[in-house]
Amino acid sequence: MRILIVEDERRLADTIAELLRANRYFADAVYDGADGYDSAQSGIYDLIILDIMLPHMDGYEITRRLRKEQNSIPILMLTAKSEVCDRIGGLNAGADYYLTKPFDMDELLACVNALLRRQGEPIKDELRFGNTSLDLSSCALCRGDAKIRLSSREFEIMRLLMANRGCNVSKEALLTKVWGFDSNADENHVEVFVSFLRKKLAYIDSNVRIEAIRRLGYHLEVEEP
């Protein structure tokens, strides 16, 4: 899952991004309200951590615009404005939760997890398909006692394929979800990492195959004995 941080205190934004990455999330940080609004419209993010006092466009305005556009992405407002009227203003604008500075990093992470669960994507320990599981805590691909660790991009591609089993996931979707909207990566990058995953599935003797369909993307299939 990919999280957008919109915070003009660069050190704080980067610290939050590092925390999220350490907990298996992809995180991007922008430091300007207008850039934050544009990024939020891209459709690649699962949650926004949003400051209120921002240059060019404040957090209230970003939230109001997104909700007016029927964008239901969860928004966690993170700000030094702690008066009751400020919290009410944030919630009335359409924010889902309001956390004031200074805050505890563990509390922030708990809020992120809670908001993502509320969106209907529960935080699970593993995903399963065929005789194979993806351990979400260790980023390992497992078949029985056999286990192999995945890189962050391998893990996110496999997570998306397992979460969408039975459906094709396009190369474009993988590029935006795994590399980001503004990345210079192209479809060759996806093909390379899918090749890595196929080798790792074979290494643990998985009965799961990653199938490619021209112009439609990839999906998982279970190999019949």
Side-chain angles (χ1 to χ4, degrees):
M1 282 173 278
R2 187 173 288 273
I3 296 173
L4 174 66
I5 303 154
V6 188
E7 165 63 67
D8 62 338
E9 294 181 40
R10 288 176 177 259
R11 182 176 295 180
L12 175 59
D14 293 343
T15 298
I16 294 171
E18 289 174 8
L19 170 73
L20 294 171
R21 290 169 189 145
N23 283 273
R24 309 185 309 280
Y25 295 109
F26 286 86
D28 300 319
V30 296
Y31 315 106
D32 173 278
D35 290 341
Y37 174 64
D38 289 341
S39 298
Q41 289 182 302
S42 68
I44 70 170
Y45 294 103
D46 300 289
L47 183 141
I48 303 172
I49 297 175
L50 179 64
D51 191 20
I52 288 181
M53 301 302 291
L54 294 163
H56 302 126
M57 186 185 300
D58 66 33
Y60 293 142
E61 182 64 18
I62 293 171
T63 302
R64 281 193 292 266
R65 289 192 184 191
L66 291 174
R67 295 307 186 232
K68 187 176 181 179
E69 295 161 2
Q70 306 301 310
N71 188 327
S72 60
I73 186 171
I75 296 174
L76 169 58
M77 277 194 168
L78 186 67
T79 179
K81 295 173 71 66
S82 58
E83 296 297 324
V84 172
C85 61
D86 296 319
R87 295 198 296 271
I88 292 172
L91 296 172
N92 284 342
D96 297 274
Y97 199 83
Y98 197 110
L99 195 61
T100 57
K101 303 173 186 176
F103 59 89
D104 183 88
M105 284 293 184
D106 288 336
E107 183 182 8
L108 172 66
L109 190 60
C111 290
V112 167
N113 289 337
L115 287 173
L116 290 172
R117 282 196 299 270
R118 193 180 301 171
Q119 282 298 105
E121 187 169 348
I123 307 301
K124 302 176 182 177
D125 292 329
E126 66 176 20
L127 295 173
R128 299 194 64 88
F129 190 75
N131 66 359
T132 303
S133 64
L134 181 64
D135 189 320
L136 302 184
S137 61
S138 66
C139 300
L141 202 56
C142 311
R143 198 275 310 156
D145 293 331
K147 180 183 295 189
I148 189 166
R149 291 289 297 271
L150 303 181
S151 71
S152 61
R153 298 202 192 280
E154 290 169 344
F155 169 79
E156 188 64 10
I157 290 171
M158 199 67 197
R159 187 190 71 80
L160 288 166
L161 291 173
M162 281 194 164
N164 292 277
R165 55 188 180 182
C167 300
N168 286 300
V169 181
S170 70
K171 289 181 181 179
E172 292 80 5
L174 291 172
L175 278 169
T176 54
K177 283 287 189 180
V178 178
W179 277 268
F181 187 73
D182 294 326
S183 170
N184 292 323
D186 57 29
E187 292 186 357
N188 289 333
H189 290 77
V190 178
E191 293 168 3
V192 167
F193 277 87
V194 167
S195 175
F196 292 160
L197 281 170
R198 285 173 171 151
K199 291 175 182 177
K200 290 187 175 182
L201 286 166
Y203 177 80
I204 62 172
D205 198 24
S206 169
N207 67 356
V208 174
R209 299 196 314 267
I210 302 176
E211 292 293 321
I213 299 181
R214 185 176 175 83
R215 298 180 181 173
L216 292 179
Y218 299 97
H219 67 275
L220 299 181
E221 288 186 2
V222 173
E223 189 172 21
E224 297 298 332

